[in-house]
Amino acid sequence: MSLVDVNSSISYEVTDHLAGTSYHKVQISNKKKDMKITSWISYWKHHTGLPLPRCCPGNSVDVNKPAGEQQVAHELHSVVGAHVRIKDTEGNVRFGIVPACKTCNNWENEFPLVWQCKAVTLVSNSRFDFVGKIQLTEGTSEQLSNPVSSEYWVQIDLIQDLPPAPPSKDTKTRRRTRSGGDRRLPFSITGLTNKSGSEQKTCVYNDPDDFLHLLSIFMRSNLRGEKRSLKNDANFVPEIIVCNVGKLPMNSDNFLKEREPEMDIKKDKPLPNDEILTRRFLSVSYCQKDVANEKFKGEIRWDPENKAWYCLKGSQREDEMVKEYGEKPTAATNADADIVAEAVNKLSLNNS
């Protein structure tokens, strides 16, 4: 994993959430680099090499509540990879992904990400490059968010600003935009998609924060008449930036803990020792979890008691799984000889 180091003498702050990013998706598959990224959360975990944090960096507490309650971080739930704008003390802007609760990933910035967190960048301003794909919209309404199409751009030939959109129902003041004010300035992209062949298409985007507009400009300038391949995303080198340094909630001990894998996985019901002893547990590290789960989908499961993955009974690929990851000793497999003997005797009696 090759990452760009950031200047530790400069502090970084998450300034706001980005709107209209539903059309920016990621899909990276590269066996040589052991990369299988299908979401912004897996993108964050792959490049940081960390499990998800236990708590959300967002403050979703009502400002009318006592100050003490406002300073307590809540546990991360319904996790999404939030697109955010990051600004340093010198005024430079970056865009990145930060794990946050779905309710805290709010473009109106009602629930700002105020606590210390790690962001993985999406855009390289120096190389005029970005990671991910810009997908098309479905429908022609002037709503902020239209349905996302399965098509994405592989070649952009024309980017065109459109007349300002009608005033939206929200009263939120828009941030820095191409229009120079608080109006939404839509734009259109014309080019080729992964499904259009040689037939050009045109798609309109309501882009409140100019994020998609920036990506489309980078894509058009870098292609030079060639089609963009998602394979190149495996070569994108992001920055890992610690934002809001030192800004910790009152429950900082719990906030700084890592999230347990089982918090994201449906737990099995407790089993008797004799059945646990028949399981074959795998030595799958946390950072390999998504890759293993994708490769052996439906054939491995998480055991929260032993904190390990195991092969489901009857799986035809059990030997393949054990060969690839090896077996992991667990509390059950390392039980005292008396417990093992008791379990074996119980099985013998039941079968007699």
Side-chain angles (χ1 to χ4, degrees):
M1 187 186 307
S2 177
L3 302 173
V4 174
D5 293 328
V6 296
N7 190 339
S8 58
S9 64
I10 300 176
S11 61
Y12 300 83
E13 181 182 8
V14 176
T15 58
D16 41 49
H17 298 272
L18 296 175
T21 58
S22 300
Y23 311 106
H24 182 219
K25 305 291 186 182
V26 65
Q27 183 180 345
I28 306 174
S29 182
N30 188 303
K31 291 184 178 179
K32 291 183 178 179
K33 296 186 177 183
D34 195 23
M35 297 178 72
K36 182 69 175 181
I37 298 173
T38 57
S39 69
W40 290 119
I41 281 296
S42 59
Y43 173 80
W44 185 92
K45 289 196 290 187
H46 175 84
H47 286 295
T48 62
L50 298 172
L52 291 173
R54 179 177 292 273
C55 294
C56 178
N59 187 355
S60 60
V61 179
D62 189 336
V63 293
N64 295 317
K65 289 191 174 183
E69 292 186 40
Q70 296 180 37
Q71 299 302 314
V72 176
H74 58 276
E75 286 200 347
L76 196 62
H77 61 88
S78 302
V79 191
V80 297
H83 282 68
V84 297
R85 181 184 280 112
I86 304 162
K87 187 176 289 187
D88 64 26
T89 48
E90 296 181 350
N92 300 309
V93 173
R94 288 174 170 83
F95 302 101
I97 290 293
V98 174
C101 299
K102 187 175 182 179
T103 52
C104 292
N105 183 31
N106 192 307
W107 71 270
E108 291 183 326
N109 211 24
E110 293 175 0
F111 306 143
L113 304 188
V114 297
W115 308 123
Q116 181 172 301
C117 56
K118 285 189 176 181
V120 181
T121 58
L122 304 163
V123 178
S124 171
N125 294 328
S126 60
R127 298 192 302 273
F128 302 101
D129 194 15
F130 66 94
V131 64
K133 54 186 177 180
I134 307 173
Q135 297 193 197
L136 279 68
T137 69
E138 291 182 349
T140 57
S141 70
E142 294 180 340
Q143 297 177 356
L144 178 64
S145 180
N146 287 314
V148 182
S149 169
S150 60
E151 286 187 78
Y152 57 89
W153 298 107
V154 296
Q155 180 176 312
I156 294 179
D157 298 313
L158 178 64
I159 303 169
Q160 188 172 13
D161 285 341
L162 300 176
S168 59
K169 294 180 180 179
D170 67 88
T171 58
K172 177 75 178 178
T173 301
R174 298 250 61 82
R175 296 180 282 272
R176 179 174 57 88
T177 62
R178 303 190 310 284
S179 62
D182 62 359
R183 299 179 300 173
R184 284 192 284 123
L185 191 59
F187 76 102
S188 66
I189 292 177
T190 299
L192 303 178
T193 76
N194 62 315
K195 296 182 180 180
S196 67
S198 59
E199 179 183 354
Q200 286 204 327
K201 286 193 171 185
T202 298
C203 188
V204 176
Y205 295 91
N206 290 312
D207 188 31
D209 287 314
D210 293 342
F211 179 69
L212 296 177
H213 187 266
L214 175 68
L215 299 189
S216 62
I217 289 176
F218 282 2
M219 183 172 171
R220 185 184 63 178
S221 62
N222 282 339
L223 288 178
R224 299 174 183 173
E226 299 178 357
K227 292 184 178 181
R228 187 174 194 269
S229 172
L230 294 181
K231 293 180 180 180
N232 295 330
D233 280 355
N235 300 321
F236 183 83
V237 182
E239 297 173 292
I240 308 298
I241 301 176
V242 181
C243 305
N244 308 332
V245 174
K247 295 182 179 179
L248 300 174
M250 293 175 64
N251 57 334
S252 58
D253 289 344
N254 191 49
F255 178 80
L256 294 173
K257 289 181 180 178
E258 293 179 346
R259 186 180 178 89
E260 292 291 338
E262 61 265 30
M263 295 177 73
D264 297 316
I265 301 167
K266 185 178 180 180
K267 296 183 180 180
D268 287 340
K269 294 181 180 179
L271 293 173
N273 280 338
D274 56 351
E275 189 166 341
I276 293 177
L277 286 168
T278 64
R279 286 182 173 174
R280 300 184 74 181
F281 291 90
L282 305 171
S283 294
V284 180
S285 64
Y286 189 89
C287 61
Q288 292 176 311
K289 176 177 72 69
D290 292 332
V291 176
N293 196 29
E294 183 70 25
K295 184 172 183 179
F296 300 108
K297 200 167 186 178
E299 298 184 80
I300 59 173
R301 187 167 294 171
W302 176 259
D303 183 331
E305 297 298 326
N306 288 289
K307 298 185 182 299
W309 292 91
Y310 67 91
C311 310
L312 286 180
K313 191 174 182 180
S315 172
Q316 297 180 352
R317 303 175 69 188
E318 185 174 321
D319 291 337
E320 180 185 349
M321 289 184 262
V322 171
K323 182 179 179 181
E324 180 162 348
Y325 294 105
E327 290 195 63
K328 176 181 179 179
T330 65
T333 57
N334 286 333
D336 292 336
D338 291 342
I339 298 177
V340 176
E342 182 181 349
V344 172
N345 289 335
K346 183 179 177 181
L347 288 172
S348 300
L349 290 172
N350 290 339
N351 292 330
S352 62

